Amino acid sequence: MQVLRQAREQLAELTGMEAESVSSFEQTSEGWTLEVEVLELERVPDTMSLMASYQVELDPDGDLTGYRRVRRYERGRADGRK
């Protein structure tokens, strides 16, 4: 759990956007890979807010080594990915 908290904090510090949740994570031979959901643009109503998923790479100690946005979507939209 500490690794997940640390990843969210580091991503927020770098992007200036608060991470809302971690939707997936896995341990790899290089450390950790996470997918973090971020609120990119707040709108009214809330279901129209723009969200983004970021792939975050961490080393074995939990330090962020890289990130990239992998998709953007409206909060109220169903996920079309499988």
Side-chain angles (χ1 to χ4, degrees), residues 39-78:
L39 174 64
E40 284 204 334
L41 180 61
E42 192 168 5
R43 291 185 176 160
V44 176
D46 189 51
T47 55
M48 297 302 291
S49 293
L50 285 179
M51 303 293 295
S53 292
Y54 282 81
Q55 182 177 330
V56 178
E57 305 290 334
L58 306 171
D59 67 15
D61 296 324
D63 293 321
L64 194 141
T65 59
Y67 72 93
R68 67 184 177 97
R69 184 173 64 198
V70 292
R71 68 185 182 104
R72 256 180 129 182
Y73 58 96
E74 289 178 343
R75 185 189 296 269
R77 299 268 181 186

PDB file of all heavy atoms in Angstrom, residues 39-78:
ATOM      1  N   LEU A  39      -7.983  13.360 -12.335  1.00  0.00           N
ATOM      2  CA  LEU A  39      -8.935  14.362 -12.781  1.00  0.00           C
ATOM      3  C   LEU A  39      -8.149  15.448 -13.509  1.00  0.00           C
ATOM      4  O   LEU A  39      -7.347  16.152 -12.904  1.00  0.00           O
ATOM      5  CB  LEU A  39      -9.695  14.953 -11.592  1.00  0.00           C
ATOM      6  CG  LEU A  39     -10.623  16.111 -11.901  1.00  0.00           C
ATOM      7  CD1 LEU A  39     -11.759  15.663 -12.822  1.00  0.00           C
ATOM      8  CD2 LEU A  39     -11.179  16.699 -10.617  1.00  0.00           C
ATOM      9  N   GLU A  40      -8.344  15.568 -14.837  1.00  0.00           N
ATOM     10  CA  GLU A  40      -7.597  16.567 -15.606  1.00  0.00           C
ATOM     11  C   GLU A  40      -8.346  17.888 -15.732  1.00  0.00           C
ATOM     12  O   GLU A  40      -7.732  18.935 -15.759  1.00  0.00           O
ATOM     13  CB  GLU A  40      -7.274  16.029 -17.001  1.00  0.00           C
ATOM     14  CG  GLU A  40      -6.152  15.020 -16.983  1.00  0.00           C
ATOM     15  CD  GLU A  40      -5.442  14.906 -18.306  1.00  0.00           C
ATOM     16  OE1 GLU A  40      -6.027  15.190 -19.363  1.00  0.00           O
ATOM     17  OE2 GLU A  40      -4.254  14.508 -18.277  1.00  0.00           O
ATOM     18  N   LEU A  41      -9.662  17.829 -15.853  1.00  0.00           N
ATOM     19  CA  LEU A  41     -10.439  19.055 -16.024  1.00  0.00           C
ATOM     20  C   LEU A  41     -11.791  18.880 -15.358  1.00  0.00           C
ATOM     21  O   LEU A  41     -12.587  18.035 -15.778  1.00  0.00           O
ATOM     22  CB  LEU A  41     -10.617  19.366 -17.513  1.00  0.00           C
ATOM     23  CG  LEU A  41     -11.405  20.617 -17.869  1.00  0.00           C
ATOM     24  CD1 LEU A  41     -10.713  21.859 -17.315  1.00  0.00           C
ATOM     25  CD2 LEU A  41     -11.562  20.726 -19.374  1.00  0.00           C
ATOM     26  N   GLU A  42     -12.040  19.664 -14.313  1.00  0.00           N
ATOM     27  CA  GLU A  42     -13.297  19.559 -13.581  1.00  0.00           C
ATOM     28  C   GLU A  42     -14.379  20.357 -14.299  1.00  0.00           C
ATOM     29  O   GLU A  42     -14.154  21.498 -14.706  1.00  0.00           O
ATOM     30  CB  GLU A  42     -13.119  20.079 -12.158  1.00  0.00           C
ATOM     31  CG  GLU A  42     -14.264  19.751 -11.258  1.00  0.00           C
ATOM     32  CD  GLU A  42     -13.941  20.019  -9.804  1.00  0.00           C
ATOM     33  OE1 GLU A  42     -12.864  20.545  -9.499  1.00  0.00           O
ATOM     34  OE2 GLU A  42     -14.794  19.689  -8.977  1.00  0.00           O
ATOM     35  N   ARG A  43     -15.540  19.733 -14.488  1.00  0.00           N
ATOM     36  CA  ARG A  43     -16.669  20.377 -15.161  1.00  0.00           C
ATOM     37  C   ARG A  43     -17.931  20.165 -14.341  1.00  0.00           C
ATOM     38  O   ARG A  43     -17.994  19.301 -13.478  1.00  0.00           O
ATOM     39  CB  ARG A  43     -16.880  19.783 -16.554  1.00  0.00           C
ATOM     40  CG  ARG A  43     -15.793  20.123 -17.532  1.00  0.00           C
ATOM     41  CD  ARG A  43     -16.150  19.585 -18.895  1.00  0.00           C
ATOM     42  NE  ARG A  43     -15.166  19.988 -19.896  1.00  0.00           N
ATOM     43  CZ  ARG A  43     -15.003  19.381 -21.041  1.00  0.00           C
ATOM     44  NH1 ARG A  43     -15.754  18.334 -21.352  1.00  0.00           N
ATOM     45  NH2 ARG A  43     -14.104  19.795 -21.901  1.00  0.00           N
ATOM     46  N   VAL A  44     -18.953  20.953 -14.680  1.00  0.00           N
ATOM     47  CA  VAL A  44     -20.277  20.801 -14.073  1.00  0.00           C
ATOM     48  C   VAL A  44     -21.223  20.424 -15.196  1.00  0.00           C
ATOM     49  O   VAL A  44     -21.246  21.111 -16.222  1.00  0.00           O
ATOM     50  CB  VAL A  44     -20.723  22.107 -13.386  1.00  0.00           C
ATOM     51  CG1 VAL A  44     -22.128  21.991 -12.853  1.00  0.00           C
ATOM     52  CG2 VAL A  44     -19.743  22.485 -12.285  1.00  0.00           C
ATOM     53  N   PRO A  45     -21.968  19.332 -15.048  1.00  0.00           N
ATOM     54  CA  PRO A  45     -21.983  18.413 -13.909  1.00  0.00           C
ATOM     55  C   PRO A  45     -20.716  17.567 -13.871  1.00  0.00           C
ATOM     56  O   PRO A  45     -20.005  17.434 -14.875  1.00  0.00           O
ATOM     57  CB  PRO A  45     -23.216  17.543 -14.160  1.00  0.00           C
ATOM     58  CG  PRO A  45     -23.375  17.528 -15.642  1.00  0.00           C
ATOM     59  CD  PRO A  45     -22.896  18.891 -16.101  1.00  0.00           C
ATOM     60  N   ASP A  46     -20.483  16.965 -12.737  1.00  0.00           N
ATOM     61  CA  ASP A  46     -19.271  16.185 -12.492  1.00  0.00           C
ATOM     62  C   ASP A  46     -19.084  15.063 -13.504  1.00  0.00           C
ATOM     63  O   ASP A  46     -17.955  14.693 -13.820  1.00  0.00           O
ATOM     64  CB  ASP A  46     -19.302  15.618 -11.070  1.00  0.00           C
ATOM     65  CG  ASP A  46     -17.988  14.992 -10.682  1.00  0.00           C
ATOM     66  OD1 ASP A  46     -16.938  15.651 -10.837  1.00  0.00           O
ATOM     67  OD2 ASP A  46     -18.007  13.839 -10.231  1.00  0.00           O
ATOM     68  N   THR A  47     -20.174  14.522 -14.029  1.00  0.00           N
ATOM     69  CA  THR A  47     -20.082  13.413 -14.989  1.00  0.00           C
ATOM     70  C   THR A  47     -19.444  13.846 -16.299  1.00  0.00           C
ATOM     71  O   THR A  47     -19.063  13.001 -17.105  1.00  0.00           O
ATOM     72  CB  THR A  47     -21.468  12.807 -15.277  1.00  0.00           C
ATOM     73  OG1 THR A  47     -22.338  13.843 -15.717  1.00  0.00           O
ATOM     74  CG2 THR A  47     -22.019  12.120 -14.040  1.00  0.00           C
ATOM     75  N   MET A  48     -19.304  15.157 -16.528  1.00  0.00           N
ATOM     76  CA  MET A  48     -18.677  15.668 -17.751  1.00  0.00           C
ATOM     77  C   MET A  48     -17.200  16.023 -17.539  1.00  0.00           C
ATOM     78  O   MET A  48     -16.516  16.439 -18.466  1.00  0.00           O
ATOM     79  CB  MET A  48     -19.437  16.901 -18.263  1.00  0.00           C
ATOM     80  CG  MET A  48     -20.876  16.590 -18.660  1.00  0.00           C
ATOM     81  SD  MET A  48     -20.996  15.326 -19.935  1.00  0.00           S
ATOM     82  CE  MET A  48     -20.324  16.199 -21.321  1.00  0.00           C
ATOM     83  N   SER A  49     -16.702  15.851 -16.322  1.00  0.00           N
ATOM     84  CA  SER A  49     -15.292  16.139 -16.042  1.00  0.00           C
ATOM     85  C   SER A  49     -14.394  15.238 -16.875  1.00  0.00           C
ATOM     86  O   SER A  49     -14.736  14.092 -17.159  1.00  0.00           O
ATOM     87  CB  SER A  49     -14.987  15.917 -14.556  1.00  0.00           C
ATOM     88  OG  SER A  49     -15.660  16.858 -13.768  1.00  0.00           O
ATOM     89  N   LEU A  50     -13.233  15.762 -17.280  1.00  0.00           N
ATOM     90  CA  LEU A  50     -12.277  14.974 -18.051  1.00  0.00           C
ATOM     91  C   LEU A  50     -11.310  14.257 -17.122  1.00  0.00           C
ATOM     92  O   LEU A  50     -10.661  14.871 -16.285  1.00  0.00           O
ATOM     93  CB  LEU A  50     -11.484  15.860 -19.009  1.00  0.00           C
ATOM     94  CG  LEU A  50     -12.223  16.327 -20.241  1.00  0.00           C
ATOM     95  CD1 LEU A  50     -11.316  17.208 -21.092  1.00  0.00           C
ATOM     96  CD2 LEU A  50     -12.726  15.167 -21.064  1.00  0.00           C
ATOM     97  N   MET A  51     -11.241  12.955 -17.307  1.00  0.00           N
ATOM     98  CA  MET A  51     -10.354  12.090 -16.547  1.00  0.00           C
ATOM     99  C   MET A  51      -9.258  11.589 -17.481  1.00  0.00           C
ATOM    100  O   MET A  51      -9.409  11.636 -18.698  1.00  0.00           O
ATOM    101  CB  MET A  51     -11.138  10.895 -15.997  1.00  0.00           C
ATOM    102  CG  MET A  51     -12.318  11.260 -15.131  1.00  0.00           C
ATOM    103  SD  MET A  51     -11.823  12.023 -13.586  1.00  0.00           S
ATOM    104  CE  MET A  51     -10.960  10.662 -12.802  1.00  0.00           C
ATOM    105  N   ALA A  52      -8.185  11.092 -16.892  1.00  0.00           N
ATOM    106  CA  ALA A  52      -7.113  10.495 -17.683  1.00  0.00           C
ATOM    107  C   ALA A  52      -6.509   9.326 -16.912  1.00  0.00           C
ATOM    108  O   ALA A  52      -6.484   9.329 -15.684  1.00  0.00           O
ATOM    109  CB  ALA A  52      -6.024  11.518 -17.989  1.00  0.00           C
ATOM    110  N   SER A  53      -6.066   8.348 -17.671  1.00  0.00           N
ATOM    111  CA  SER A  53      -5.321   7.221 -17.097  1.00  0.00           C
ATOM    112  C   SER A  53      -3.854   7.413 -17.429  1.00  0.00           C
ATOM    113  O   SER A  53      -3.505   7.648 -18.592  1.00  0.00           O
ATOM    114  CB  SER A  53      -5.796   5.898 -17.700  1.00  0.00           C
ATOM    115  OG  SER A  53      -7.099   5.613 -17.306  1.00  0.00           O
ATOM    116  N   TYR A  54      -3.026   7.320 -16.420  1.00  0.00           N
ATOM    117  CA  TYR A  54      -1.582   7.428 -16.597  1.00  0.00           C
ATOM    118  C   TYR A  54      -0.930   6.100 -16.243  1.00  0.00           C
ATOM    119  O   TYR A  54      -1.255   5.503 -15.209  1.00  0.00           O
ATOM    120  CB  TYR A  54      -0.997   8.515 -15.685  1.00  0.00           C
ATOM    121  CG  TYR A  54      -1.227   9.913 -16.204  1.00  0.00           C
ATOM    122  CD1 TYR A  54      -2.435  10.555 -16.012  1.00  0.00           C
ATOM    123  CD2 TYR A  54      -0.223  10.582 -16.889  1.00  0.00           C
ATOM    124  CE1 TYR A  54      -2.643  11.834 -16.477  1.00  0.00           C
ATOM    125  CE2 TYR A  54      -0.423  11.867 -17.363  1.00  0.00           C
ATOM    126  CZ  TYR A  54      -1.641  12.488 -17.154  1.00  0.00           C
ATOM    127  OH  TYR A  54      -1.850  13.758 -17.629  1.00  0.00           O
ATOM    128  N   GLN A  55      -0.028   5.666 -17.102  1.00  0.00           N
ATOM    129  CA  GLN A  55       0.800   4.509 -16.789  1.00  0.00           C
ATOM    130  C   GLN A  55       2.021   5.043 -16.053  1.00  0.00           C
ATOM    131  O   GLN A  55       2.714   5.928 -16.545  1.00  0.00           O
ATOM    132  CB  GLN A  55       1.231   3.780 -18.052  1.00  0.00           C
ATOM    133  CG  GLN A  55       2.060   2.549 -17.757  1.00  0.00           C
ATOM    134  CD  GLN A  55       2.423   1.802 -19.024  1.00  0.00           C
ATOM    135  OE1 GLN A  55       1.704   1.821 -20.000  1.00  0.00           O
ATOM    136  NE2 GLN A  55       3.570   1.160 -19.003  1.00  0.00           N
ATOM    137  N   VAL A  56       2.260   4.518 -14.879  1.00  0.00           N
ATOM    138  CA  VAL A  56       3.337   4.997 -14.012  1.00  0.00           C
ATOM    139  C   VAL A  56       4.303   3.847 -13.757  1.00  0.00           C
ATOM    140  O   VAL A  56       3.892   2.752 -13.406  1.00  0.00           O
ATOM    141  CB  VAL A  56       2.759   5.524 -12.676  1.00  0.00           C
ATOM    142  CG1 VAL A  56       3.869   5.986 -11.749  1.00  0.00           C
ATOM    143  CG2 VAL A  56       1.762   6.643 -12.930  1.00  0.00           C
ATOM    144  N   GLU A  57       5.582   4.116 -13.952  1.00  0.00           N
ATOM    145  CA  GLU A  57       6.636   3.123 -13.713  1.00  0.00           C
ATOM    146  C   GLU A  57       7.404   3.521 -12.458  1.00  0.00           C
ATOM    147  O   GLU A  57       7.799   4.679 -12.301  1.00  0.00           O
ATOM    148  CB  GLU A  57       7.603   3.070 -14.900  1.00  0.00           C
ATOM    149  CG  GLU A  57       6.958   2.815 -16.241  1.00  0.00           C
ATOM    150  CD  GLU A  57       6.420   1.411 -16.401  1.00  0.00           C
ATOM    151  OE1 GLU A  57       6.959   0.498 -15.724  1.00  0.00           O
ATOM    152  OE2 GLU A  57       5.464   1.232 -17.164  1.00  0.00           O
ATOM    153  N   LEU A  58       7.615   2.550 -11.573  1.00  0.00           N
ATOM    154  CA  LEU A  58       8.368   2.774 -10.346  1.00  0.00           C
ATOM    155  C   LEU A  58       9.508   1.782 -10.254  1.00  0.00           C
ATOM    156  O   LEU A  58       9.391   0.651 -10.730  1.00  0.00           O
ATOM    157  CB  LEU A  58       7.468   2.569  -9.120  1.00  0.00           C
ATOM    158  CG  LEU A  58       6.177   3.369  -9.059  1.00  0.00           C
ATOM    159  CD1 LEU A  58       5.328   2.884  -7.899  1.00  0.00           C
ATOM    160  CD2 LEU A  58       6.476   4.842  -8.909  1.00  0.00           C
ATOM    161  N   ASP A  59      10.606   2.201  -9.610  1.00  0.00           N
ATOM    162  CA  ASP A  59      11.704   1.263  -9.363  1.00  0.00           C
ATOM    163  C   ASP A  59      11.343   0.392  -8.155  1.00  0.00           C
ATOM    164  O   ASP A  59      10.291   0.599  -7.531  1.00  0.00           O
ATOM    165  CB  ASP A  59      13.034   2.004  -9.196  1.00  0.00           C
ATOM    166  CG  ASP A  59      13.121   2.861  -7.942  1.00  0.00           C
ATOM    167  OD1 ASP A  59      12.288   2.702  -7.021  1.00  0.00           O
ATOM    168  OD2 ASP A  59      14.042   3.686  -7.866  1.00  0.00           O
ATOM    169  N   PRO A  60      12.158  -0.592  -7.811  1.00  0.00           N
ATOM    170  CA  PRO A  60      11.824  -1.486  -6.687  1.00  0.00           C
ATOM    171  C   PRO A  60      11.625  -0.770  -5.349  1.00  0.00           C
ATOM    172  O   PRO A  60      10.915  -1.270  -4.480  1.00  0.00           O
ATOM    173  CB  PRO A  60      13.020  -2.437  -6.619  1.00  0.00           C
ATOM    174  CG  PRO A  60      13.558  -2.455  -8.007  1.00  0.00           C
ATOM    175  CD  PRO A  60      13.364  -1.049  -8.520  1.00  0.00           C
ATOM    176  N   ASP A  61      12.219   0.420  -5.182  1.00  0.00           N
ATOM    177  CA  ASP A  61      12.067   1.184  -3.943  1.00  0.00           C
ATOM    178  C   ASP A  61      10.810   2.043  -3.930  1.00  0.00           C
ATOM    179  O   ASP A  61      10.532   2.720  -2.947  1.00  0.00           O
ATOM    180  CB  ASP A  61      13.290   2.079  -3.713  1.00  0.00           C
ATOM    181  CG  ASP A  61      14.559   1.279  -3.514  1.00  0.00           C
ATOM    182  OD1 ASP A  61      14.473   0.195  -2.888  1.00  0.00           O
ATOM    183  OD2 ASP A  61      15.618   1.723  -3.990  1.00  0.00           O
ATOM    184  N   GLY A  62      10.068   2.070  -5.061  1.00  0.00           N
ATOM    185  CA  GLY A  62       8.852   2.864  -5.141  1.00  0.00           C
ATOM    186  C   GLY A  62       9.049   4.264  -5.663  1.00  0.00           C
ATOM    187  O   GLY A  62       8.140   5.083  -5.602  1.00  0.00           O
ATOM    188  N   ASP A  63      10.254   4.564  -6.191  1.00  0.00           N
ATOM    189  CA  ASP A  63      10.513   5.886  -6.755  1.00  0.00           C
ATOM    190  C   ASP A  63      10.083   5.919  -8.214  1.00  0.00           C
ATOM    191  O   ASP A  63      10.397   5.018  -8.993  1.00  0.00           O
ATOM    192  CB  ASP A  63      11.993   6.244  -6.638  1.00  0.00           C
ATOM    193  CG  ASP A  63      12.429   6.422  -5.196  1.00  0.00           C
ATOM    194  OD1 ASP A  63      11.636   6.984  -4.407  1.00  0.00           O
ATOM    195  OD2 ASP A  63      13.546   6.001  -4.856  1.00  0.00           O
ATOM    196  N   LEU A  64       9.367   6.982  -8.594  1.00  0.00           N
ATOM    197  CA  LEU A  64       8.856   7.120  -9.947  1.00  0.00           C
ATOM    198  C   LEU A  64      10.010   7.258 -10.940  1.00  0.00           C
ATOM    199  O   LEU A  64      10.910   8.070 -10.737  1.00  0.00           O
ATOM    200  CB  LEU A  64       7.935   8.340 -10.018  1.00  0.00           C
ATOM    201  CG  LEU A  64       7.075   8.442 -11.249  1.00  0.00           C
ATOM    202  CD1 LEU A  64       5.697   8.964 -10.876  1.00  0.00           C
ATOM    203  CD2 LEU A  64       7.704   9.361 -12.266  1.00  0.00           C
ATOM    204  N   THR A  65       9.981   6.448 -11.979  1.00  0.00           N
ATOM    205  CA  THR A  65      11.011   6.511 -13.017  1.00  0.00           C
ATOM    206  C   THR A  65      10.453   6.982 -14.351  1.00  0.00           C
ATOM    207  O   THR A  65      11.198   7.332 -15.242  1.00  0.00           O
ATOM    208  CB  THR A  65      11.692   5.143 -13.212  1.00  0.00           C
ATOM    209  OG1 THR A  65      10.713   4.178 -13.582  1.00  0.00           O
ATOM    210  CG2 THR A  65      12.416   4.710 -11.948  1.00  0.00           C
ATOM    211  N   GLY A  66       9.125   6.995 -14.491  1.00  0.00           N
ATOM    212  CA  GLY A  66       8.517   7.479 -15.720  1.00  0.00           C
ATOM    213  C   GLY A  66       7.002   7.383 -15.661  1.00  0.00           C
ATOM    214  O   GLY A  66       6.445   6.637 -14.855  1.00  0.00           O
ATOM    215  N   TYR A  67       6.353   8.186 -16.507  1.00  0.00           N
ATOM    216  CA  TYR A  67       4.891   8.117 -16.607  1.00  0.00           C
ATOM    217  C   TYR A  67       4.473   8.619 -17.975  1.00  0.00           C
ATOM    218  O   TYR A  67       5.218   9.333 -18.645  1.00  0.00           O
ATOM    219  CB  TYR A  67       4.208   8.928 -15.498  1.00  0.00           C
ATOM    220  CG  TYR A  67       4.316  10.428 -15.650  1.00  0.00           C
ATOM    221  CD1 TYR A  67       3.314  11.159 -16.296  1.00  0.00           C
ATOM    222  CD2 TYR A  67       5.403  11.131 -15.153  1.00  0.00           C
ATOM    223  CE1 TYR A  67       3.413  12.533 -16.430  1.00  0.00           C
ATOM    224  CE2 TYR A  67       5.514  12.491 -15.279  1.00  0.00           C
ATOM    225  CZ  TYR A  67       4.505  13.200 -15.920  1.00  0.00           C
ATOM    226  OH  TYR A  67       4.612  14.554 -16.057  1.00  0.00           O
ATOM    227  N   ARG A  68       3.264   8.205 -18.396  1.00  0.00           N
ATOM    228  CA  ARG A  68       2.702   8.711 -19.643  1.00  0.00           C
ATOM    229  C   ARG A  68       1.189   8.563 -19.588  1.00  0.00           C
ATOM    230  O   ARG A  68       0.662   7.640 -18.972  1.00  0.00           O
ATOM    231  CB  ARG A  68       3.264   7.988 -20.857  1.00  0.00           C
ATOM    232  CG  ARG A  68       2.881   6.540 -20.965  1.00  0.00           C
ATOM    233  CD  ARG A  68       3.580   5.876 -22.160  1.00  0.00           C
ATOM    234  NE  ARG A  68       3.269   4.474 -22.213  1.00  0.00           N
ATOM    235  CZ  ARG A  68       2.312   3.942 -22.985  1.00  0.00           C
ATOM    236  NH1 ARG A  68       1.615   4.716 -23.768  1.00  0.00           N
ATOM    237  NH2 ARG A  68       2.087   2.651 -22.973  1.00  0.00           N
ATOM    238  N   ARG A  69       0.505   9.512 -20.239  1.00  0.00           N
ATOM    239  CA  ARG A  69      -0.952   9.419 -20.309  1.00  0.00           C
ATOM    240  C   ARG A  69      -1.298   8.405 -21.379  1.00  0.00           C
ATOM    241  O   ARG A  69      -0.811   8.492 -22.498  1.00  0.00           O
ATOM    242  CB  ARG A  69      -1.556  10.777 -20.640  1.00  0.00           C
ATOM    243  CG  ARG A  69      -3.082  10.736 -20.622  1.00  0.00           C
ATOM    244  CD  ARG A  69      -3.701  12.096 -20.771  1.00  0.00           C
ATOM    245  NE  ARG A  69      -3.369  12.632 -22.070  1.00  0.00           N
ATOM    246  CZ  ARG A  69      -3.453  13.917 -22.392  1.00  0.00           C
ATOM    247  NH1 ARG A  69      -3.834  14.798 -21.498  1.00  0.00           N
ATOM    248  NH2 ARG A  69      -3.150  14.334 -23.592  1.00  0.00           N
ATOM    249  N   VAL A  70      -2.156   7.448 -21.046  1.00  0.00           N
ATOM    250  CA  VAL A  70      -2.523   6.408 -22.004  1.00  0.00           C
ATOM    251  C   VAL A  70      -3.927   6.590 -22.556  1.00  0.00           C
ATOM    252  O   VAL A  70      -4.244   6.025 -23.609  1.00  0.00           O
ATOM    253  CB  VAL A  70      -2.360   4.989 -21.409  1.00  0.00           C
ATOM    254  CG1 VAL A  70      -0.888   4.685 -21.180  1.00  0.00           C
ATOM    255  CG2 VAL A  70      -3.142   4.816 -20.121  1.00  0.00           C
ATOM    256  N   ARG A  71      -4.778   7.364 -21.869  1.00  0.00           N
ATOM    257  CA  ARG A  71      -6.087   7.677 -22.429  1.00  0.00           C
ATOM    258  C   ARG A  71      -6.744   8.794 -21.653  1.00  0.00           C
ATOM    259  O   ARG A  71      -6.380   9.073 -20.508  1.00  0.00           O
ATOM    260  CB  ARG A  71      -6.992   6.453 -22.472  1.00  0.00           C
ATOM    261  CG  ARG A  71      -7.429   5.938 -21.135  1.00  0.00           C
ATOM    262  CD  ARG A  71      -8.229   4.636 -21.278  1.00  0.00           C
ATOM    263  NE  ARG A  71      -8.662   4.192 -19.987  1.00  0.00           N
ATOM    264  CZ  ARG A  71      -9.895   4.303 -19.522  1.00  0.00           C
ATOM    265  NH1 ARG A  71     -10.845   4.803 -20.283  1.00  0.00           N
ATOM    266  NH2 ARG A  71     -10.204   3.886 -18.319  1.00  0.00           N
ATOM    267  N   ARG A  72      -7.702   9.447 -22.315  1.00  0.00           N
ATOM    268  CA  ARG A  72      -8.516  10.505 -21.717  1.00  0.00           C
ATOM    269  C   ARG A  72      -9.968  10.155 -21.953  1.00  0.00           C
ATOM    270  O   ARG A  72     -10.318   9.624 -23.000  1.00  0.00           O
ATOM    271  CB  ARG A  72      -8.237  11.834 -22.405  1.00  0.00           C
ATOM    272  CG  ARG A  72      -7.391  12.771 -21.634  1.00  0.00           C
ATOM    273  CD  ARG A  72      -7.201  14.024 -22.416  1.00  0.00           C
ATOM    274  NE  ARG A  72      -7.542  15.143 -21.564  1.00  0.00           N
ATOM    275  CZ  ARG A  72      -7.529  16.386 -21.917  1.00  0.00           C
ATOM    276  NH1 ARG A  72      -7.245  16.706 -23.155  1.00  0.00           N
ATOM    277  NH2 ARG A  72      -7.826  17.321 -21.067  1.00  0.00           N
ATOM    278  N   TYR A  73     -10.833  10.507 -20.996  1.00  0.00           N
ATOM    279  CA  TYR A  73     -12.242  10.175 -21.137  1.00  0.00           C
ATOM    280  C   TYR A  73     -13.085  11.060 -20.222  1.00  0.00           C
ATOM    281  O   TYR A  73     -12.570  11.653 -19.269  1.00  0.00           O
ATOM    282  CB  TYR A  73     -12.470   8.691 -20.792  1.00  0.00           C
ATOM    283  CG  TYR A  73     -12.022   8.303 -19.406  1.00  0.00           C
ATOM    284  CD1 TYR A  73     -12.925   8.258 -18.346  1.00  0.00           C
ATOM    285  CD2 TYR A  73     -10.691   7.987 -19.132  1.00  0.00           C
ATOM    286  CE1 TYR A  73     -12.510   7.914 -17.069  1.00  0.00           C
ATOM    287  CE2 TYR A  73     -10.273   7.640 -17.867  1.00  0.00           C
ATOM    288  CZ  TYR A  73     -11.189   7.603 -16.834  1.00  0.00           C
ATOM    289  OH  TYR A  73     -10.778   7.268 -15.573  1.00  0.00           O
ATOM    290  N   GLU A  74     -14.378  11.165 -20.541  1.00  0.00           N
ATOM    291  CA  GLU A  74     -15.301  11.870 -19.669  1.00  0.00           C
ATOM    292  C   GLU A  74     -15.677  10.931 -18.522  1.00  0.00           C
ATOM    293  O   GLU A  74     -15.894   9.735 -18.742  1.00  0.00           O
ATOM    294  CB  GLU A  74     -16.549  12.293 -20.429  1.00  0.00           C
ATOM    295  CG  GLU A  74     -16.279  13.414 -21.406  1.00  0.00           C
ATOM    296  CD  GLU A  74     -17.515  13.807 -22.192  1.00  0.00           C
ATOM    297  OE1 GLU A  74     -18.500  13.030 -22.223  1.00  0.00           O
ATOM    298  OE2 GLU A  74     -17.486  14.892 -22.777  1.00  0.00           O
ATOM    299  N   ARG A  75     -15.769  11.461 -17.327  1.00  0.00           N
ATOM    300  CA  ARG A  75     -16.041  10.651 -16.145  1.00  0.00           C
ATOM    301  C   ARG A  75     -17.317   9.817 -16.313  1.00  0.00           C
ATOM    302  O   ARG A  75     -17.378   8.676 -15.890  1.00  0.00           O
ATOM    303  CB  ARG A  75     -16.171  11.534 -14.909  1.00  0.00           C
ATOM    304  CG  ARG A  75     -16.347  10.743 -13.621  1.00  0.00           C
ATOM    305  CD  ARG A  75     -16.686  11.631 -12.436  1.00  0.00           C
ATOM    306  NE  ARG A  75     -15.665  12.569 -12.082  1.00  0.00           N
ATOM    307  CZ  ARG A  75     -14.696  12.355 -11.200  1.00  0.00           C
ATOM    308  NH1 ARG A  75     -14.593  11.199 -10.600  1.00  0.00           N
ATOM    309  NH2 ARG A  75     -13.823  13.297 -10.923  1.00  0.00           N
ATOM    310  N   GLY A  76     -18.334  10.341 -16.935  1.00  0.00           N
ATOM    311  CA  GLY A  76     -19.611   9.650 -17.053  1.00  0.00           C
ATOM    312  C   GLY A  76     -19.685   8.622 -18.167  1.00  0.00           C
ATOM    313  O   GLY A  76     -20.696   7.950 -18.341  1.00  0.00           O
ATOM    314  N   ARG A  77     -18.643   8.466 -18.969  1.00  0.00           N
ATOM    315  CA  ARG A  77     -18.655   7.522 -20.083  1.00  0.00           C
ATOM    316  C   ARG A  77     -18.256   6.126 -19.635  1.00  0.00           C
ATOM    317  O   ARG A  77     -17.344   5.959 -18.833  1.00  0.00           O
ATOM    318  CB  ARG A  77     -17.670   7.969 -21.177  1.00  0.00           C
ATOM    319  CG  ARG A  77     -17.971   9.290 -21.758  1.00  0.00           C
ATOM    320  CD  ARG A  77     -18.822   9.139 -22.945  1.00  0.00           C
ATOM    321  NE  ARG A  77     -19.068  10.473 -23.480  1.00  0.00           N
ATOM    322  CZ  ARG A  77     -19.873  10.702 -24.452  1.00  0.00           C
ATOM    323  NH1 ARG A  77     -20.516   9.715 -25.021  1.00  0.00           N
ATOM    324  NH2 ARG A  77     -20.056  11.921 -24.878  1.00  0.00           N
ATOM    325  N   ALA A  78     -18.932   5.143 -20.220  1.00  0.00           N
ATOM    326  CA  ALA A  78     -18.558   3.758 -19.954  1.00  0.00           C
ATOM    327  C   ALA A  78     -17.241   3.459 -20.656  1.00  0.00           C
ATOM    328  O   ALA A  78     -16.947   4.002 -21.713  1.00  0.00           O
ATOM    329  CB  ALA A  78     -19.642   2.805 -20.455  1.00  0.00           C
TER     330      ALA A  78
END
